[in-house]
Amino acid sequence: MSKTIIISSDHAGYSLKKKILEFRFSSDLVFKDLGPFSEESVDYPDFAHLLSNNINEGLFDFGILICGSGIGMSIVANRYKNVRAALCSSKKMAKLSRQHNNANILVLGSRLISDEEAIKSILTFLSTEFEGGRHQTRLQKINGVKN
């Protein structure tokens, strides 16, 4: 059974997004590109909202957002109740974002991470499970759930 990952960027992240889409991941990973489809200047919030809304509504389990620094995409994505977007610059951060925060969107800063480290981060993010336990209690507090 394949797992579909949605991916989007702005113009600054377009080149890295293209390299990710060209990388040979395992055959059970399928990427759905939500745009943009060129390096022409676009507004990152438009693409962050598009992807984040899909995650928030439960249409997809995981997404990847890419802009120059990753900061703008993270700010927009984390406005959605069911989104936990993690800006990661290493595979270690990607692993911890899944284990401790149950992140469902990996955010990459194309100007701050190498193509190789981005691929490693994606592989780690998608293969790491949430640990639950005390971390679940903390996640509930994000949305104001009292324990």
Side-chain angles (χ1 to χ4, degrees), residues 28-48:
D28 64 333
L29 282 181
V30 176
F31 287 87
K32 179 175 178 164
D33 187 355
L34 301 183
F37 302 104
S38 75
E39 289 183 323
E40 184 177 326
S41 184
V42 296
D43 295 330
Y44 70 85
D46 297 338
F47 292 93

Side-chain angles (χ1 to χ4, degrees), residues 7 10 15-16 29 42 50 54 57 60-61 64 69 73 78 101 105-107 134:
I7 187 168
D10 68 358
S15 177
L16 177 56
L29 282 181
V42 296
L50 176 63
N54 275 275
E57 295 295 323
F60 296 91
D61 294 327
I64 300 169
S69 68
M73 291 289 201
N78 281 312
N101 308 111
I105 296 178
L106 174 64
V107 184
R134 71 184 192 277

Side-chain angles (χ1 to χ4, degrees), residues 2-87:
S2 63
K3 180 191 285 191
T4 301
I5 311 302
I6 51 178
I7 187 168
S8 191
S9 69
D10 68 358
H11 53 281
Y14 176 78
S15 177
L16 177 56
K17 181 183 73 162
K18 193 172 171 187
K19 288 176 184 166
I20 290 165
L21 292 172
E22 292 169 353
F23 185 81
R24 290 183 176 264
F25 289 93
S26 68
S27 60
D28 64 333
L29 282 181
V30 176
F31 287 87
K32 179 175 178 164
D33 187 355
L34 301 183
F37 302 104
S38 75
E39 289 183 323
E40 184 177 326
S41 184
V42 296
D43 295 330
Y44 70 85
D46 297 338
F47 292 93
H49 281 300
L50 176 63
L51 186 140
S52 300
N53 189 59
N54 275 275
I55 298 292
N56 190 59
E57 295 295 323
L59 301 174
F60 296 91
D61 294 327
F62 296 103
I64 300 169
L65 286 169
I66 310 162
C67 66
S69 68
I71 296 168
M73 291 289 201
S74 297
I75 291 169
V76 174
N78 281 312
R79 290 181 166 267
Y80 289 80
K81 181 180 181 182
N82 298 315
V83 165
R84 290 166 310 281
L87 174 57

